[in-house]
């Protein structure tokens, strides 16, 4: 009996492995032609000033709608794009698209809005400086309206190189945010060595802020830390009014999350900006 069970487990395992491998091959083939087939678009998730609840910025998030495979989450395709190196082309597309879209909205009376683009580690190693220079020049977007979101692990992979690249980016006039702050395993010393403007508190801490005293303590500590270092602090994944109240009372600068707005298509985002302006 044990023997047959073992064999079944083995069959189950190889079947899962085959399914996984097939999916991987399909995704990789799909990704290769996704750019030329226009299968990517950006959605924009607003960041709100906690006090005024006005929109101060937008985070551009990549979406892939594959002809063959349907809608695929960035959580699934970004790691694959990173692995294969395709993230450089896809990421460049996202940077250019976000800059052009924002420049358009600046021209429509929303000059106070900034846009943030997420970067992958491989993009830092590629020619990110000239990519950004070209995107700003082509779009006409002022550099101060562009923010880049990087994770701790990305910049700690090669701290020396990162300091150099981030300094060059800062020299262009844009701002740098640390995404998913607190979930890496890095020492805090990089915070004083890198030219950073903003910390984004990971939604992992925000989720249980009102029930778990540990998460509440960590979140409060991050807000205090950010402000002592004269950094802006944003909370991600705010889903309830109770979480928002906690963050407001704790002095958090900005919030982002489903409570105030999900990521929006460009059309819906402009509608929201107009609605806010006219209210
Ligand atoms: P991220 O940059 O930390 O983005 C936040 C993610 O949380 C987004 O998922 C967003 O839709 C989701 N989110 C926002 N508010 C809430 C909330 O209240 N509750 C919950 N449960 N989730 C919320 P998304 O769009 O699936 O993106 C996942 C990740 O994919 C991003 O995490 C980012 O690391 C990566 N990504 C997305 N677009 C790009 C891109 O253009 N380039 C690169 N390199 N990475 C990207
Ligand atoms: Mg982000
Ligand atoms: Mg994040
Ligand atoms: Mg994340």
């Amino acid at each position: 009996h044990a023997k047959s069970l073992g064999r079944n487990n083995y069959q189950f395992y190889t079947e899962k492995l085959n399914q996984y491998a097939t999916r991987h091959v399909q995704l990789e083939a799909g990704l290769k032609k996704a750019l030329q087939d226009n299968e990517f678009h950006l959605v924009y998730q607003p960041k709100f000033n906690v006090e005024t609840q006005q929109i101060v910025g937008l985070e551009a998030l990549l979406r892939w709608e594959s002809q063959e495979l349907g809608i695929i989450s960035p959580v699934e395709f970004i790691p694959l794009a990173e692995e294969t190196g395709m993230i450089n082309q896809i990421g460049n597309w996202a940077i250019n698209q976000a800059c052009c879209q924002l420049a358009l909205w600046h021209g429509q009376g929303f000059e106070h809005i900034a846009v943030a683009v997420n970067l992958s580690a491989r993009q830092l190693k590629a020619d990110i400086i000239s990519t950004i220079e070209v995107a700003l020049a082509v779009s006409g977007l002022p550099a101060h309206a562009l923010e880049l979101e990087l994770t701790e692990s990305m910049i700690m992979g090669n701290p020396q190189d990162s300091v150099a690249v981030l300094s060059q980016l800062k020299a262009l006039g844009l701002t740098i945010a640390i995404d998913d702050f607190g979930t890496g395993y890095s020492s805090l010393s990089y915070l004083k060595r890198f030219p950073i403007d903003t910390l984004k508190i990971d939604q992992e801490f925000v989720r249980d802020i009102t029930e778990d005293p540990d998460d509440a303590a960590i979140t409060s500590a991050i807000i205090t830390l950010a402000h002592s270092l004269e950094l802006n602090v944003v909370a991600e994944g705010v889903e309830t009014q109770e979480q928002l109240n906690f963050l407001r009372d704790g002095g958090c600068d900005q919030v982002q999350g489903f409570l105030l707005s999900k990521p929006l298509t460009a059309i819906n985002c402009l509608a929201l900006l107009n609605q806010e302006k006219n209210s």
Side-chain angles (χ1 to χ4, degrees):
H1 178 75
K3 211 174 189 176
S4 68
L5 197 75
R7 189 174 295 156
N8 282 340
N9 276 340
Y10 174 76
Q11 276 172 358
F12 176 77
Y13 179 72
T14 44
E15 199 179 302
K16 279 281 163 221
L17 208 64
N18 281 334
Q19 281 171 8
Y20 176 79
T22 307
R23 173 87 175 160
H24 195 96
V25 168
Q26 285 173 335
L27 286 172
E28 194 173 326
L31 263 188
K32 273 191 185 133
K33 55 186 198 61
L35 260 185
Q36 76 193 43
D37 288 355
N38 253 313
E39 292 180 344
F40 290 113
H41 68 274
L42 294 178
V43 289
Y44 299 88
Q45 188 177 32
K47 298 177 189 178
F48 296 83
N49 176 305
V50 176
E51 285 301 329
T52 65
Q53 293 211 18
Q54 299 273 93
I55 298 172
V56 288
L58 304 166
E59 177 177 4
L61 294 160
L62 203 48
R63 293 292 179 263
W64 177 24
E65 253 182 275
S66 160
Q67 189 89 59
E68 292 94 28
L69 303 165
I71 295 171
I72 296 143
S73 163
V75 177
E76 189 173 13
F77 75 79
I78 296 280
L80 185 62
E82 287 171 346
E83 221 173 276
T84 56
M86 286 187 267
I87 192 65
N88 285 319
Q89 269 183 294
I90 298 169
N92 285 358
W93 178 86
I95 292 166
N96 280 288
Q97 181 70 18
C99 288
C100 288
Q101 182 62 79
L102 247 285
L104 207 67
W105 287 338
H106 274 206
Q108 296 174 332
F110 302 103
E111 303 86 352
H112 59 290
I113 305 288
V115 70
V117 180
N118 293 281
L119 284 194
S120 293
R122 276 184 96 125
Q123 292 177 270
L124 276 191
K125 295 188 200 95
D127 208 359
I128 190 69
I129 309 295
S130 59
T131 297
I132 300 279
E133 278 177 329
V134 169
L136 292 173
V138 167
S139 64
L141 187 74
H144 67 79
L146 178 62
E147 182 163 58
L148 299 177
E149 295 193 6
L150 293 77
T151 61
E152 297 166 71
S153 54
M154 274 175 61
I155 57 178
M156 291 313 285
N158 192 336
Q160 277 85 8
D161 286 359
S162 298
V163 171
V165 175
L166 294 192
S167 302
Q168 288 179 72
L169 289 169
K170 286 292 294 175
L172 292 180
L174 45 81
T175 58
I176 310 281
I178 301 297
D179 204 351
D180 307 339
F181 182 75
T183 59
Y185 292 93
S186 47
S187 91
L188 291 174
S189 67
Y190 78 90
L191 288 177
K192 61 175 188 184
R193 283 196 289 138
F194 292 112
I196 290 160
D197 303 279
T198 300
L199 298 184
K200 294 191 76 179
I201 307 172
D202 193 78
Q203 58 190 61
E204 178 184 321
F205 303 119
V206 176
R207 191 174 302 125
D208 297 324
I209 223 174
T210 52
E211 290 108 45
D212 185 338
D214 293 340
D215 286 329
I218 290 171
T219 299
S220 301
I222 295 174
I223 295 170
T224 304
L225 174 69
H227 287 162
S228 324
L229 296 167
E230 293 180 13
L231 304 175
N232 188 36
V233 60
V234 184
E236 298 189 87
V238 179
E239 294 182 351
T240 69
Q241 186 62 47
E242 291 71 36
Q243 291 166 343
L244 182 62
N245 294 344
F246 178 96
L247 292 160
R248 195 208 314 104
D249 296 345
C252 188
D253 302 303
Q254 294 168 21
V255 286
Q256 202 179 12
F258 295 168
L259 175 68
L260 296 179
S261 177
K262 291 197 170 187
L264 303 168
T265 61
I267 291 170
N268 289 338
C269 188
L270 179 60
L272 183 65
L273 289 171
N274 276 315
Q275 183 192 319
E276 183 182 270
K277 189 185 193 176
N278 298 327
S279 70

